[in-house]
C-alpha cells in the first residue's frame, strides 16, 4: 500500500514539474529561428559568395524567416509538453517540441527543405546585388 501511495505522489509531482516547465511560444520561435539561421549561414558559405554580399543575404534571409515564424508559428499546448507547427504546402508540419523548459527542433536538413519552398536564397542574393 505504501509503495502505491509513493508511486501516486511521485507521478503527481512529476506531472506538476512538467506543467510548470513547459516552454512558451517565444522559446519555440527562438529555437526554430536558430536552426533557420544555421541553414541560411551554411547555404551562404556553401555557395562561395563574396563575404559582404553573403552577410547581407544571410541577414535578409534570417530576417525574412523571423518574420515568417512570428506570424505563422503555431504552438499547441498538450498539458505536459507543447508542439510547434508551421504551415507548409497547405498542411501543418511539426518543427519543435517543448518539454522541461527545453525546445527540441527539427534537423537542419528538414529545415532546409521547408525553407526552400518559403524562402529562395538565390533570389534574395540577386535582389541584394
Amino acid at each position: 500500500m505504501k509503495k502505491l501511495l509513493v508511486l501516486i505522489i511521485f507521478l503527481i509531482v512529476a506531472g506538476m514539474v512538467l506543467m510548470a516547465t513547459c516552454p512558451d511560444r517565444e522559446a519555440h520561435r527562438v529555437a526554430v529561428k536558430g536552426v533557420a539561421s544555421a541553414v541560411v549561414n551554411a547555404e551562404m558559405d556553401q555557395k562561395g559568395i563574396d563575404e559582404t554580399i553573403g552577410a547581407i543575404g544571410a541577414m535578409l534571409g534570417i530576417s525574412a524567416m523571423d518574420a515568417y515564424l512570428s506570424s505563422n508559428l503555431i504552438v499547441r499546448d498538450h498539458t505536459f509538453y507543447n508542439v510547434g507547427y508551421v504551415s507548409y504546402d497547405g498542411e501543418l508540419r511539426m518543427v519543435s517540441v517543448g518539454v522541461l523548459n527545453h525546445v527540441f527542433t527539427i534537423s537542419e536538413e528538414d529545415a532546409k527543405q521547408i525553407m526552400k519552398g518559403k524562402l529562395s536564397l538565390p533570389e534574395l542574393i540577386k535582389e541584394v546585388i
Side-chain angles (χ1 to χ4, degrees), residues 58-73:
M59 183 181 65
L60 288 173
I62 293 167
S63 296
M65 201 63 203
D66 188 34
Y68 176 79
L69 287 173
S70 293
S71 62
N72 292 317
L73 181 67

Side-chain angles (χ1 to χ4, degrees), residues 5-79:
L5 182 61
V6 169
L7 177 67
I8 291 172
I9 291 173
F10 174 76
L11 291 175
I12 289 171
V13 169
M16 290 173 61
V17 167
L18 286 172
M19 286 189 292
T21 60
C22 213
D24 60 354
R25 183 181 188 280
E26 183 65 19
H28 281 268
R29 189 188 65 76
V30 169
V32 174
K33 180 183 172 187
V35 172
S37 297
V39 169
V40 169
N41 289 330
E43 194 73 19
M44 290 297 175
D45 290 342
Q46 185 180 16
K47 299 289 183 191
I49 300 169
D50 179 48
E51 189 174 317
T52 306
I53 295 173
I56 293 171
M59 183 181 65
L60 288 173
I62 293 167
S63 296
M65 201 63 203
D66 188 34
Y68 176 79
L69 287 173
S70 293
S71 62
N72 292 317
L73 181 67
I74 300 167
V75 177
R76 291 188 177 162
D77 192 18
H78 296 279
T79 308

